[in-house]
Amino acid sequence: MTMLQHELTDFTANIFHDDKFSQLTKKDVLGHWSLFFFYPNDFSFVCPTELEDLADHYDEFKKAGCEIYGISHDTEFVHKAWHEANDKIAKIQFPMVADPTNRLSRDLDSYDEVNGQAERGDFILDPEGKVVAYEVISSNVGRNAEEILRRVEASQFVYAHGDQVCPAKWTPGDETIAPSLDLVGQL
């Protein structure tokens, strides 16, 4: 079953952000682009490398109008402890979302029943809270923030210009394709 166009269900989650605890709801993610970035758990091996990569590119995501939400089944208290204990995680400025009941990972179908935690899944949500792109990969392979950002920007372009599509390796400023029956013979 595809998650494309799946609308995020209502939720309330505790978060650690800006050195304080607060809550995040579906309403908070509507009206702007979002990246829900699931990872298995805090205090692990691959996860800090991915989160540091996102932290290093956070300004680019913000410039693109996209908020990052780092999500694992750990509580907001564990997120805070990890943020304070690890130099890579200390760089994070985006919200770290607690999903101890796995409600969000189940909603976006990235929950691993056997391990009781989220797989490595990244979900790009449009301003209406619908999934427009996603990837779920093995928990032992890290992801690349630059590629995720490229997919965010391509998704935003197509969202704004529904009559055009983005070819492989497209980045902002590159040419797009306006599909037409005239092009079919050239493909």
Side-chain angles (χ1 to χ4, degrees):
M1 177 175 105
T2 183
M3 292 304 297
L4 291 174
Q5 297 306 311
H6 171 75
E7 184 175 344
L8 193 62
T9 59
D10 285 330
F11 72 92
T12 300
N14 293 325
I15 64 172
F16 176 69
H17 184 228
D18 289 335
D19 292 323
K20 62 183 179 229
F21 300 119
S22 59
Q23 290 191 320
L24 178 75
T25 66
K26 178 182 176 180
K27 184 179 176 184
D28 297 323
V29 302
L30 298 178
H32 62 85
W33 288 83
S34 301
L35 170 64
F36 276 35
F37 191 85
F38 290 93
Y39 60 96
N41 48 304
D42 295 355
F43 293 98
S44 59
F45 303 100
V46 176
C47 300
T49 66
E50 293 183 308
L51 294 171
E52 179 184 35
D53 189 29
L54 284 173
D56 290 344
H57 291 85
Y58 186 53
D59 288 341
E60 296 166 66
F61 278 88
K62 292 297 282 185
K63 187 176 178 182
C66 181
E67 182 60 81
I68 298 170
Y69 301 95
I71 307 167
S72 77
H73 71 260
D74 299 285
T75 67
E76 66 276 21
F77 305 110
V78 177
H79 289 331
K80 179 182 187 298
W82 197 29
H83 195 270
E84 292 172 350
N86 184 302
D87 291 340
K88 291 177 182 352
I89 303 308
K91 294 180 178 182
I92 293 175
Q93 296 177 354
F94 51 82
M96 296 179 75
V97 182
D99 190 27
T101 63
N102 296 295
R103 180 176 180 175
L104 289 170
S105 63
R106 288 176 196 268
D107 181 41
L108 292 171
D109 201 25
S110 65
Y111 181 67
D112 180 344
E113 297 281 345
V114 174
N115 295 323
Q117 59 194 21
E119 291 288 357
R120 293 190 192 288
D122 48 90
F123 296 80
I124 299 168
L125 304 173
D126 69 16
E128 285 82 42
K130 292 183 182 174
V131 176
V132 296
Y134 71 99
E135 174 182 50
V136 179
I137 62 173
S138 174
S139 63
N140 57 0
V141 176
R143 293 160 285 177
N144 181 324
E146 290 175 350
E147 173 54 20
I148 296 170
L149 177 61
R150 188 198 72 78
R151 285 189 286 132
V152 166
E153 292 171 332
S155 297
Q156 291 172 329
F157 183 89
V158 171
Y159 182 83
H161 305 91
D163 61 335
Q164 298 177 47
V165 296
C166 298
K169 298 183 181 182
W170 179 90
T171 58
D174 289 353
E175 287 190 33
T176 58
I177 300 168
S180 73
L181 290 177
D182 295 336
L183 289 175
V184 173
Q186 299 173 25
L187 300 177

